Amino acid sequence: MAQNVFVFDHPLIQHKITLLRDKNTGTKEFRELVSEIAMLMAYEVTRDLPLKEIEVETPITTAHSKVLAGKNLAIVPILRAGLGMVDGMVKLLPNVKVGHIGLYRDPVTVEPHTYYCKLPEDINERDVIVLDPMLATGGSASAAIGYLKEKGIQNIKFMCLIASPEGIARLTKDHPDVHIYCASEDEGLNENSYIVPGLGDAGDRIFGTE
Ligand code: PRP
Ligand code: URA
């Protein structure tokens, strides 16, 4: 396993991933699960956020206590499916700014195509977590991260639910500085570049467009 890949083996996350994989899980439950897993992962992905000490008056005395410091964060979901992870992140990070990158994977060539981009104006002063439930060939994630780097962003993390070994290899090669966080590294890709065993088409399952 590449050094910059973190696989979340927490039992709550693993349990919820199994429910996501189940083809009988309907749209409502699927959406809720994606959001819950994103929130649980956010807890760990933000572990290295810098803190500073401030004074706060408790009802008893003055305490020296810590608050978040340093560079601000932004999250950037890759449309569509990345949108499903935004709610869960925002629950833990209520002030986080949210940029959007619209990419779709051509069903025949599996090449990513960009159709939308709207980022916070001060994005190049922020650390960024890119969100997408699926890292399959890695084309979409690599293109989105390349685009963000062109905007001057230096510290980027990539957070997904299911990753393929092929996607991890591609992203590690294209962007060796980017840490990848996932809940499972699956077996590989099928002939249509879908992740095996995976969970099917994440966007279709979140938005009920199957
Ligand atoms: C899916 C998924 C990723 C991409 C992964 O999106 O959400 O963005 O495919 O595949 P890759 O690693 O091979 O690029 P899709 O293109 O199906 O668009 P959607 O989110 O609008 O359904
Ligand atoms: N996109 C998905 O939504 N699922 C896959 O398995 C691969 C790409």
Side-chain angles (χ1 to χ4, degrees), residues 78-82 103-106 110 112 115 132-141 193-194 201-204:
I78 299 179
L79 308 181
R80 287 177 304 168
L103 286 173
Y104 72 90
R105 200 174 75 150
D106 184 287
V110 301
Y115 60 87
D132 193 324
M134 310 305 279
L135 180 65
T137 64
S140 304
S193 294
Y194 272 79
D201 189 307
D204 280 348

Side-chain angles (χ1 to χ4, degrees), residues 60-116:
I60 311 297
T61 185
T62 303
H64 296 270
S65 203
K66 295 186 174 89
V67 291
L68 293 171
K71 273 180 143 183
N72 286 323
L73 260 187
I75 56 175
V76 177
I78 299 179
L79 308 181
R80 287 177 304 168
L83 284 178
M85 300 167 78
V86 171
D87 256 19
M89 297 290 287
V90 169
K91 279 202 180 105
L92 275 198
L93 303 160
N95 293 316
V96 79
K97 291 207 177 176
V98 185
H100 296 85
I101 292 186
L103 286 173
Y104 72 90
R105 200 174 75 150
D106 184 287
V108 178
T109 66
V110 301
E111 283 302 310
H113 294 270
T114 310
Y115 60 87
Y116 184 77

Side-chain angles (χ1 to χ4, degrees), residues 18-58:
T18 302
L19 297 176
L20 273 188
R21 291 190 193 279
D22 187 339
K23 66 178 183 185
N24 296 313
T25 297
T27 302
K28 175 177 179 293
E29 194 186 352
F30 193 91
R31 264 185 211 143
E32 289 167 356
L33 286 163
V34 170
S35 176
E36 286 165 7
I37 297 167
M39 186 168 67
L40 292 168
M41 290 176 78
Y43 181 74
E44 194 56 36
V45 173
T46 53
R47 178 174 283 284
D48 62 353
L49 287 183
L51 292 169
K52 66 178 178 192
E53 198 168 275
I54 60 161
E55 284 188 0
V56 62
E57 296 300 320
T58 80

